[in-house]
Amino acid sequence: MPIDLSPAPTAVAAGNLKAVEEEDEEVEVEGGGCGGGAVVVAASDAEAEGHPYDFHVSGPRNLPPPNWKEIIRSSWKDPNYKRMVMACFIQAVYLLELDRQDQKGEDDGLAPKWWKPFKYKVTQALVDERDGSIYGAVLEWDRSSALSDFILIRPSGAPRAVLALRGTLLQKPTMKRDLQDDLRFLVWESLKGSVRYVGALAALKSAVEKFGSANVCVAGHSLGAGFALQICKELAKQGVFVECHLFNPPSVSLAMGVRSMSEKASYLWKKVKASLPLKVEATTPLESTKEEASDKKRLRTEKKWVPHLYVNNSDYICCHYNAPCPSAADGASDEQQQQQRKASEIAGDVVAKLFVTSKGPQKFLEAHGLEQWWSDGMELQLALYDSKLINRQLKSIYTTAAVSSPAKS
């Protein structure tokens, strides 16, 4: 199911912060820790160091110091650093909502501590007008803050703006709206009917118009990753390509199961049709060659958008992205095999960058968490084979010649 059972600071949000037992010196947060992962902090340390979700308590370690050297050798050129920062920005959005519920602002809130070290600032909070909850934010490069550390120009690779989208918070008042979108994806495998989809798409378009698509990034966790994927796909259909980072994107839905059964039924029907003596219109080899050459030329031109997906195989919400495309021996239809061949030969074997944790958390609540993506010692493997689910998600971009218009809700 695509429901986020342990989003970023859900533990605090859901009231799962366990009371400290008299004989124990530990405070345990179940399924929390900035997106999952039990966080254990000694009670005395927690009081001395601050809130468990303070940046200096549960945030990344060994960060490069922000100084003028960033101009010469930018940390943003390191993909691991960029992944870590994107995850921190999503954590900031989770905390923005919790700060709002606790009536905290920039001076006393937890959220600002998760973007200030990277010299960014929030310029727009995405608010669901139905319940007033914050589900996303636009963060922009903070030039004045950078100048205070003698960083005169924006480091190479650092985006001008980042749109960060959170997942589900299992706490009132936002829980109802979050779960509605979870169920929307579960049933239809689409979030286009959501008010939040419309708001996120509008914010992304505004950032692209202001800074250009090459200077904008989108990042989302779990349900937020589902929104991020769909709004970026919408722009990609229009030829606008934005860098996209998807952490634990939802991959399970009833629609997927129905589609799988439909594909199997279609495969069996084609086998039956092939055995019948039906008269088929012949296509000349020249026409077939011209059509395939045209498809190759068009797909080479359109194949520019490559999203980054971060998956933990122990997380059943997103692990299906790691399933390879079926081969002929697996019962794939001729049409599926043709699409797979085109994705490999024409698109150059790259439809997405799928990173899978090699030594990540094994328990589901931790495996679905956000904290793992900025933790020290994170080891990722790049999946080189075609993913069945990724190919299906991106098929509308690479196999449809017509340019579609943005969905309206």
Side-chain angles (χ1 to χ4, degrees), residues 66 103 113 117 168 200:
Q103 299 182 348
K113 301 173 184 178
T168 307

Side-chain angles (χ1 to χ4, degrees), residues 376-395:
D376 293 334
M378 168 60 66
E379 295 184 16
L380 297 177
Q381 295 176 342
L382 180 62
L384 299 179
Y385 51 76
D386 287 329
S387 164
K388 175 183 178 181
L389 187 54
I390 291 176
N391 283 346
R392 192 177 78 235
Q393 289 278 15
L394 305 185
K395 181 173 64 175

Side-chain angles (χ1 to χ4, degrees), residues 192 197 201 205 229-241 298 302 393-408:
K192 289 188 176 182
Y197 171 87
L201 181 59
K205 286 183 175 180
L229 175 61
Q230 295 198 357
I231 62 176
C232 286
K233 277 174 57 179
E234 195 62 46
L235 289 191
K237 292 177 184 179
Q238 304 172 38
V240 180
F241 306 101
R298 175 175 55 79
E302 294 179 355
Q393 289 278 15
L394 305 185
K395 181 173 64 175
S396 60
I397 301 175
Y398 306 134
T399 62
T400 304
V403 177
S404 62
S405 58
K408 297 182 179 179

Side-chain angles (χ1 to χ4, degrees), residues 183-227:
L183 293 174
R184 186 189 305 274
F185 184 90
L186 177 64
V187 176
W188 292 293
E189 201 177 359
S190 175
L191 296 165
K192 289 188 176 182
S194 171
V195 171
R196 297 179 180 183
Y197 171 87
V198 177
L201 181 59
L204 178 57
K205 286 183 175 180
S206 177
V208 168
E209 291 174 359
K210 183 177 180 180
F211 300 113
S213 59
N215 296 313
V216 177
C217 284
V218 180
H221 173 244
S222 198
L223 178 62
F227 279 114

Side-chain angles (χ1 to χ4, degrees), residues 41-277:
V41 181
S44 57
D45 293 341
E47 293 176 0
E49 296 184 4
H51 194 281
Y53 292 109
D54 269 332
F55 183 81
H56 71 278
V57 175
S58 59
R61 301 291 184 264
N62 304 317
L63 283 176
N67 53 45
W68 61 271
K69 294 181 181 179
E70 282 292 295
I71 303 174
I72 301 173
R73 186 175 182 177
S74 172
S75 300
W76 284 91
K77 294 181 180 179
D78 181 357
N80 291 322
Y81 179 83
K82 179 173 284 190
R83 181 199 73 236
M84 177 192 69
V85 178
M86 293 295 115
C88 287
F89 286 170
I90 299 170
Q91 169 70 355
V93 177
Y94 277 111
L95 292 173
L96 272 175
E97 170 56 20
L98 293 185
D99 286 345
R100 182 193 71 84
Q101 294 179 18
D102 293 336
Q103 299 182 348
K104 293 182 179 180
E106 186 168 352
D107 295 333
D108 58 348
L110 294 169
K113 301 173 184 178
W114 288 82
W115 66 68
K116 287 184 177 180
F118 308 106
K119 306 306 175 186
Y120 278 78
K121 60 182 179 181
V122 169
T123 59
Q124 179 186 0
L126 304 188
V127 179
D128 190 324
E129 296 179 353
R130 300 168 299 177
D131 58 12
S133 62
I134 298 174
Y135 63 91
V138 177
L139 301 99
E140 297 181 11
W141 174 255
D142 189 349
R143 187 171 180 271
S144 61
S145 178
L147 288 174
S148 66
D149 284 311
F150 304 101
I151 304 175
L152 305 180
I153 60 176
R154 180 168 48 91
S156 176
R160 292 284 301 274
V162 177
L163 171 60
L165 301 167
R166 67 167 175 84
T168 307
L169 277 172
L170 298 180
Q171 180 188 9
K172 295 180 179 180
T174 187
M175 180 174 65
K176 178 181 177 181
R177 301 302 181 187
D178 290 355
L179 293 179
Q180 281 181 348
D181 285 328
D182 284 324
L183 293 174
R184 186 189 305 274
F185 184 90
L186 177 64
V187 176
W188 292 293
E189 201 177 359
S190 175
L191 296 165
K192 289 188 176 182
S194 171
V195 171
R196 297 179 180 183
Y197 171 87
V198 177
L201 181 59
L204 178 57
K205 286 183 175 180
S206 177
V208 168
E209 291 174 359
K210 183 177 180 180
F211 300 113
S213 59
N215 296 313
V216 177
C217 284
V218 180
H221 173 244
S222 198
L223 178 62
F227 279 114
L229 175 61
Q230 295 198 357
I231 62 176
C232 286
K233 277 174 57 179
E234 195 62 46
L235 289 191
K237 292 177 184 179
Q238 304 172 38
V240 180
F241 306 101
V242 179
E243 185 176 327
C244 185
H245 296 265
L246 311 171
F247 299 90
N248 301 90
S251 64
V252 182
S253 71
L254 297 177
M256 184 173 68
V258 172
R259 186 180 292 108
S260 177
M261 290 187 291
S262 176
E263 289 173 353
K264 291 180 180 179
S266 176
Y267 169 73
L268 294 175
W269 171 240
K270 286 182 179 179
K271 286 293 185 181
V272 173
K273 280 184 65 177
S275 64
L276 299 177

